């Protein structure tokens, strides 16, 4: 079950907007998605209550008999909206369950500094540092008439943080969220420009959200390749001279049967030498350290 968390230490960075839109997009893909709000303000939970029942369904947390939040039965994808100021043990615990983290960042010195501190703490966690939990940033509320998008891109490049693009400043997001909707719920061309801005984000998330499809492609890619006229022909070019020098004449694929016989005799001689050396070494090892069998 893929889990996508939307994280930024600074409040007001657009985490709830990103989480709600991602959950709505998954719902439109016929995924059984839960939008989990772990923020005390419960912004996305209130948004879910305003959502029209005719729209694709998005589930909230369920609460069991012990008053503990649980993922509802049958859910296939989870989106987490996290609170501002998330750090320390709470951040590490969230990362333990996440497969990917999206970090929305506005273009101001305060926002960039807070996001950089959050990025540094995330990169200190083994799951993020090893790539098991993917991490990327996106720009929020960007005015196309300014150089804000370029500034954020340069900032992310300096941190070696993948930057997926920007979402523009528009009242369309505000109007949709007030009605329990997203731009993905709007008909036709009304939000075409904004949907286009989401495409790089969705492309980056696709292998994480649909791991079965990725596994199928990897399986197909590992199927045996058709036989080549040259042994090792698929290796990098830099390795080929060394391989060719092993056989007089250059081409390994052109070795004749007599050379194969010579190679077999040489291999037998090497094996006998190795066995004799192993016996001598074994005789030098104290008896109680020797492995039996």
């Amino acid at each position: 079950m893929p889990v996508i968390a939307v994280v930024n230490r600074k409040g007001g960075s657009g985490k709830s907007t990103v989480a709600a839109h991602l959950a709505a997009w998954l719902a439109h893909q016929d995924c059984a998605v839960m939008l989990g709000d772990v923020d005390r303000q419960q912004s996305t939970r209130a948004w879910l209550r305003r959502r029209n029942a005719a729209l694709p369904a998005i589930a909230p947390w369920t609460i069991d008999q012990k008053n503990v939040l649980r993922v509802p039965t049958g859910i296939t994808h989870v989106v987490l909206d996290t609170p501002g100021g998330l750090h320390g043990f709470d951040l590490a615990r969230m990362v333990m369950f996440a497969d990917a983290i999206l970090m929305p960042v506005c273009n101001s010195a305060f926002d960039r500094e807070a996001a950089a501190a959050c990025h540094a703490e995330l990169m200190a966690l083994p799951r993020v540092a090893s790539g098991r939990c993917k991490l990327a940033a996106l720009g929020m509320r960007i005015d196309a008439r300014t150089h804000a998008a370029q500034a954020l891109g340069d900032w992310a490049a300096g941190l070696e943080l993948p930057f997926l693009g920007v979402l523009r400043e528009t009242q369309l997001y505000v109007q949709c969220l007030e009605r329990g909707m997203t731009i993905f719920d709007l008909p036709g061309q009304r939000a075409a420009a904004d949907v286009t801005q989401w495409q790089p984000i969705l492309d980056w998330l696709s292998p994480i959200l649909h791991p079965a499809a990725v596994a199928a492609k990897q399986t197909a890619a590992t199927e045996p390749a058709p036989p080549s006229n040259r042994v090792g022909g698929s290796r990098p070019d830099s390795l080929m001279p060394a391989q060719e020098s092993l056989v007089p004449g250059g081409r390994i694929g052109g070795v004749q049967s007599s050379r194969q016989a010579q190679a077999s005799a040489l291999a037998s001689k090497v094996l006998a030498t190795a066995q004799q050396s192993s016996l001598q070494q074994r005789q030098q090892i104290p008896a109680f350290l020797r492995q039996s069998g």
Side-chain angles (χ1 to χ4, degrees):
M1 179 175 60
V3 178
I4 311 300
V6 185
V7 177
N8 191 328
R9 184 172 293 174
K10 190 173 185 305
S13 59
K15 294 185 295 292
S16 296
T17 297
V18 172
H21 277 75
L22 181 56
W25 180 82
L26 284 166
H28 278 278
Q29 308 307 306
D30 297 325
C31 297
V33 58
M34 185 202 83
L35 177 56
D37 195 337
V38 292
D39 190 344
R40 292 182 180 179
Q41 295 181 353
Q42 294 291 291
S43 302
T44 51
R45 193 174 183 89
W47 173 78
L48 281 175
R49 287 195 293 266
R50 294 194 295 270
R51 189 167 177 79
N52 193 313
L55 295 172
I58 301 172
W61 293 106
T62 57
I63 302 178
D64 63 14
Q65 296 178 351
K66 296 181 180 180
N67 201 33
V68 176
L69 296 177
R70 301 288 185 188
V71 177
T73 303
I75 292 298
T76 61
H77 294 75
V78 172
V79 179
L80 296 179
D81 180 20
T82 66
L86 188 67
H87 67 280
F89 176 75
D90 291 334
L91 180 63
R93 182 174 57 181
M94 184 277 301
V95 169
M96 288 298 297
F97 295 96
D99 297 293
I101 295 173
L102 285 176
M103 183 185 295
V105 185
C106 295
N107 185 44
S108 76
F110 299 116
D111 286 270
R112 292 193 300 270
E113 289 173 3
C118 186
H119 171 260
E121 186 173 359
L122 285 168
M123 291 304 298
L125 299 174
R127 272 181 56 81
V128 179
S130 65
R132 287 174 292 167
C133 178
K134 306 295 183 183
L135 172 63
L138 64 148
M140 295 295 292
R141 307 187 188 100
I142 301 302
D143 189 339
R145 297 169 298 181
T146 68
H147 297 289
Q150 183 63 46
L152 280 175
D154 294 342
W155 165 82
L159 294 176
E160 297 183 354
L161 172 64
F163 188 68
L164 306 180
V166 302
L167 303 181
R168 68 184 181 123
E169 175 72 44
T170 172
Q171 284 296 304
L172 195 57
Y173 283 105
V174 177
Q175 295 166 3
C176 285
L177 292 172
E178 286 180 350
R179 298 162 56 192
M181 299 174 64
T182 69
I183 62 170
F184 296 114
D185 299 311
L186 297 177
Q189 297 297 314
R190 185 176 176 186
D194 297 291
V195 170
T196 299
Q197 289 188 323
W198 271 89
Q199 197 56 52
I201 303 167
L202 302 176
D203 290 342
W204 182 79
L205 286 171
S206 181
I208 303 164
L209 297 173
H210 306 291
V214 175
K217 290 182 179 179
Q218 291 176 344
T219 301
T222 56
E223 291 181 354
S228 172
N229 293 329
R230 177 179 176 182
V231 176
S234 61
R235 299 289 182 92
D237 293 339
S238 60
L239 294 181
M240 296 311 299
Q243 291 180 340
E244 292 177 356
S245 66
L246 294 176
V247 179
R251 300 295 184 181
I252 296 178
V255 179
Q256 300 178 1
S257 58
S258 61
R259 290 177 179 171
Q260 293 176 350
Q262 293 173 2
S264 178
L266 179 60
S268 299
K269 184 177 180 180
V270 171
L271 178 60
T273 303
Q275 289 175 340
Q276 183 178 2
S277 175
S278 176
L279 178 60
Q280 293 174 351
Q281 292 177 357
R282 185 176 180 87
Q283 290 173 346
Q284 297 172 1
I285 299 175
F288 68 91
L289 290 179
R290 297 176 188 171
Q291 295 181 351
S292 60

